[in-house]
Amino acid sequence: MGGTKRPWRWRSNPLRRHEDIVEAWILLAVWVVVMIGGAAAALVTARSAEHEFTEQRAHRHPVRAVLLADAPHGVGTGWSADDRVRASVRWTAPDGASRTGRTPVDGGLRAGAGVVVWRDDQGRLTPSPPTGRAEGHVEAALFAAAAALAVAAPVLGAGAVARARLDRRRAAHRDQVWAAVGRRWGPRTG
């Protein structure tokens, strides 16, 4: 018994249909694209996200600001899970100018309270960057997984559609064969 054993869809077999070979190639192509394309998309996205988070950490700075009006306490904004509300604050820009804007702050603070806000190199308010490398790694990994899924989902969907069409062709062929052979065996039951 020499030789290698090939996967069943590629083996010589009198019952093997053309659709079986096509299906085998479709499955192989789908899995190659999903694995290689998904991995490449994930890697590129993770590296890009890591670079972006590093840039954010380098160009965003915490500064002290003063709350200009009372921040309501317990007001659900729908977008904040940590009881933060948007309020007006005043801070000093890098050029020494006083600026005002709205940013999330803890609810329940009184006007005049000191808060920490984040600004970019131009002095504009920005969201805080990922606080540490670990948080950046987690967010980059989530973006990478989403990118891999974005590549894999349409490819797997296209493969499923192609296989469904092959299944319909096989069923139609089976019905044709039964129609030709079944007359010799008698009426169908069931």
Side-chain angles (χ1 to χ4, degrees):
M1 288 188 79
T4 61
K5 208 163 189 179
R6 294 185 295 176
W8 71 269
R9 291 179 196 263
W10 279 287
R11 285 187 220 151
S12 294
N13 182 338
L15 299 177
R16 181 181 70 188
R17 298 163 292 203
H18 175 71
E19 289 85 1
D20 297 333
I21 296 170
V22 171
E23 181 180 30
W25 283 107
I26 288 172
L27 286 172
L28 180 64
V30 163
W31 284 111
V32 166
V33 170
V34 165
M35 298 306 287
I36 294 174
L43 182 62
V44 167
T45 301
R47 284 188 178 174
S48 177
E50 288 284 347
H51 176 72
E52 179 64 26
F53 296 147
T54 301
E55 287 290 313
Q56 287 179 4
R57 284 190 291 275
H59 297 288
R60 292 183 182 181
H61 314 285
V63 294
R64 297 288 299 162
V66 176
L67 195 60
L68 298 178
D70 290 349
H73 185 64
V75 176
T77 59
W79 60 270
S80 176
D82 58 359
D83 196 33
R84 293 174 63 86
V85 295
R86 290 187 60 79
S88 295
V89 295
R90 183 178 53 245
W91 73 98
T92 304
D95 61 3
S98 180
R99 297 206 182 154
T100 60
R102 293 181 59 80
T103 190
V105 297
D106 293 331
L109 295 176
R110 297 275 181 219
V115 294
V116 175
V117 297
W118 288 84
R119 66 159 174 82
D120 62 13
D121 291 335
Q122 287 76 38
R124 296 180 301 235
L125 287 178
T126 63
S128 64
T131 55
R133 295 196 61 79
E135 184 181 340
H137 289 315
V138 169
E139 288 187 37
L142 291 173
F143 284 130
L149 184 61
V151 168
V155 173
L156 290 170
V161 168
R163 291 184 68 203
R165 287 186 178 170
L166 287 172
D167 286 342
R168 282 196 300 271
R169 284 181 61 180
R170 283 189 278 245
H173 184 257
R174 185 176 50 243
D175 289 344
Q176 288 173 349
V177 169
W178 180 254
V181 175
R183 281 182 255 132
R184 288 187 256 158
W185 290 347
R188 289 173 95 169
T189 60

